[in-house]
């Protein structure tokens, strides 16, 4: 089973920042988690606010927790708020159910990790995550 290397994680972060710069976004923070939800890499651009790690991590962690990108989790929160509230309780408040948490899938469609991006609008955060994941040859699944 393929896994994420540290070099791939660093490239994901670099490309997310490059995409943000090209789109003239606010300062971004990017987290990359492995399939088990463990931190592989994190960077926060100069000027990003202080809770950005927790937000980026919560987007990626939530995606892994339910096996769908955080856009799907966002839709689920709108349709079944009680489910997402219960999920967040089980996760000790660590789930952030808004777009910007994108699953990383290998060529066989297996989940091998997730990227969480925060700093601009959720839609823009997701655009950066998708571009970054695809830059290393994996499939991005925003949900």
């Amino acid at each position: 089973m393929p896994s994420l290397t540290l070099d791939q994680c660093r490239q994901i972060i670099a490309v997310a920042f490059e995409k943000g710069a090209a789109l003239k976004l606010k300062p971004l923070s990017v987290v990359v988690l492995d399939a088990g939800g463990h931190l592989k890499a994190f960077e926060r651009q100069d000027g990003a606010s202080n809770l950005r790690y927790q937000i980026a991590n919560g987007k990626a962690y939530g995606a892994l927790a339910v096996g769908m990108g955080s856009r799907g989790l966002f839709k689920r929160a709108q349709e079944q708020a009680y489910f997402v509230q219960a999920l967040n309780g089980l996760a000790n408040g660590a789930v952030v159910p808004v777009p910007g948490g994108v699953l990383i899938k290998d060529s066989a469609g297996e989940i091998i990790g997730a990227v969480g991006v925060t700093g601009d609008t959720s839609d823009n955060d997701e655009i950066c995550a998708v571009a970054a994941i695809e830059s290393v040859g994996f499939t991005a699944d925003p949900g």
Side-chain angles (χ1 to χ4, degrees):
M1 171 183 193
S3 62
L4 292 166
T5 67
L6 183 57
D7 285 341
Q8 289 169 323
C9 294
R10 288 177 175 153
Q11 182 178 342
I12 286 169
I13 291 170
V15 171
F17 288 166
E18 289 169 11
K19 186 70 170 179
L23 296 173
K24 298 185 183 341
L25 304 183
K26 295 176 184 172
L28 299 177
S29 296
V30 181
V31 69
V32 183
L33 305 179
D34 67 15
H38 304 286
L39 179 66
K40 288 287 290 189
F42 170 75
E43 286 190 36
R44 179 176 64 91
Q45 289 183 308
D46 294 341
S49 60
N50 65 334
L51 283 180
R52 291 300 173 179
Y53 168 76
Q54 291 88 336
I55 297 167
N57 191 71
K59 289 180 178 187
Y61 185 78
L64 288 168
V66 295
M68 70 173 73
S70 62
R71 179 169 294 278
L73 190 54
F74 175 69
K75 290 177 186 173
R76 185 99 186 250
Q78 293 173 319
E79 297 167 2
Q80 294 180 306
Y82 60 88
F83 171 78
V84 175
Q85 182 181 9
L87 173 69
N88 217 353
L90 293 169
N92 296 313
V95 174
V96 179
V98 297
V102 179
L103 295 173
I104 305 168
K105 294 186 175 180
D106 66 14
S107 60
E110 296 295 319
I111 297 169
I112 61 169
V115 173
V117 178
T118 185
D120 204 84
T121 67
S122 294
D123 289 337
N124 285 337
D125 295 342
E126 181 180 272
I127 288 167
C128 293
V130 169
I133 292 166
E134 291 175 350
S135 77
V136 293
F138 292 120
T139 301
D141 182 356

